[in-house]
Amino acid sequence: MKKRIRIAAMAVLLTLTSCVEDMNVPCGWITIEPPVKVEETRSVSDIDYLVSISRGKSIIMPPAHYSTLSGKISLPTDTDYVLTAESCTKTEAESSPSAYGQPRYAGTKPFEVSTGQSTTVLVSCSMDNAALQLLTDDSFYYTQYEVEATVGNRSVTLSDTDTMAYFNVDDTTGEATLSYHVTASRPDGETGSSSGQITLKRKTLSRLTLKANAKGQIGIQITYDDTFTPIVTEITLGE
């Protein structure tokens, strides 16, 4: 049964004002206010988002945890700035807090700083990677089973105790090809196995359900739940 999960987790308010630095270079100021927590539909832990600012290929402000930022950040008057927010890096999304990874939420928003004006920029962060869940149905009578799930050079082993894993997807296509290999057994010595591939999709929970027929042959049912978006984060620059 699909579950619709929607959580608004955090908003960060940053206020841009105008100023003039030394040598009469027009600029804007970013004043970072405390996080504003918006209404949630269930309890989650606060996420200390990484926030960065870039312009073209230049990094104006390197990624820094929100909790470490204080005071004012000066930005020259210009266009084509981009605010980026992410709950964790792509590496952390596949390695922390365990080898099974975690959901990664990210978003970007272009903005410009105008002399003598305040600018407001709203960034919405949504799930940027893919989730895989292992399930069994009533026909699956094996008592022990494992699924080795592989994307690229990364493999994780799912079982009845570890049923969820997260995988990064291609930046352009939003997809990743996952190969799986199922092995199962019973106390009487009966064994079964199955292998195949599925396509993982960004912001989507892929459910891999194990089945078995009367001869013990293992079948796989794949269902996709694109309502799996546990956290929607908004980060605001402006008044």
Side-chain angles (χ1 to χ4, degrees):
M1 179 179 66
K2 292 184 178 180
K3 294 183 179 179
R4 187 177 297 271
I5 308 173
R6 181 172 57 85
I7 302 172
M10 179 188 280
V12 181
L13 183 67
L14 299 90
T15 303
L16 271 68
T17 59
S18 60
C19 68
V20 178
E21 288 189 326
D22 294 341
M23 301 178 64
N24 295 319
V25 177
C27 65
W29 294 104
I30 300 178
T31 302
I32 304 196
E33 302 292 343
V36 178
K37 197 171 187 179
V38 295
E39 184 179 358
E40 298 178 350
T41 57
R42 67 185 176 101
S43 177
V44 294
S45 298
D46 289 344
I47 298 175
D48 192 7
Y49 285 90
L50 290 167
V51 180
S52 63
I53 297 174
S54 61
R55 183 174 181 274
K57 295 182 179 180
S58 299
I59 304 299
I60 306 302
M61 185 184 80
H65 284 287
Y66 174 79
S67 62
T68 68
L69 302 178
S70 62
K72 295 181 178 181
I73 301 171
S74 173
L75 290 177
T77 300
D78 219 326
T79 60
D80 301 326
Y81 287 108
V82 175
L83 173 69
T84 299
E86 53 186 346
S87 61
C88 63
T89 66
K90 286 191 173 184
T91 298
E92 291 169 337
E94 293 192 330
S95 61
S96 176
S98 72
Y100 296 95
Q102 61 180 301
R104 179 177 182 268
Y105 305 96
T108 61
K109 183 70 175 181
F111 69 96
E112 61 182 57
V113 177
S114 301
T115 303
Q117 297 182 13
S118 296
T119 303
T120 299
V121 182
L122 179 66
V123 178
S124 294
C125 297
S126 59
M127 188 172 171
D128 191 58
N129 54 357
L132 177 69
Q133 183 180 27
L134 176 64
L135 301 170
T136 61
D137 77 353
D138 292 339
S139 70
F140 193 77
Y141 58 81
Y142 290 100
T143 55
Q144 292 185 316
Y145 57 91
E146 289 185 346
V147 176
E148 184 178 30
T150 303
V151 173
N153 59 4
R154 175 177 176 244
S155 294
V156 298
T157 301
L158 300 179
S159 64
D160 60 335
T161 56
D162 296 299
T163 62
M164 289 281 293
Y166 297 87
F167 296 87
N168 293 327
V169 296
D170 184 83
D171 289 337
T172 302
T173 65
E175 296 181 348
T177 300
L178 179 141
S179 300
Y180 64 84
H181 179 66
V182 184
T183 56
S185 63
R186 287 169 49 87
D188 61 9
E190 183 180 356
T191 62
S193 64
S194 180
S195 298
Q197 290 185 333
I198 65 172
T199 299
L200 302 179
K201 302 175 183 180
R202 177 184 287 127
K203 294 195 294 187
T204 300
L205 170 64
S206 300
R207 292 189 174 97
L208 192 155
T209 303
L210 303 182
K211 299 172 175 286
N213 63 19
K215 296 181 180 181
Q217 295 173 325
I218 296 176
I220 305 294
Q221 178 184 9
I222 304 298
T223 57
Y224 294 102
D225 183 0
D226 59 7
T227 67
F228 183 73
T229 309
I231 298 178
V232 176
T233 300
E234 291 183 346
I235 292 181
T236 303
L237 281 149
E239 293 182 327

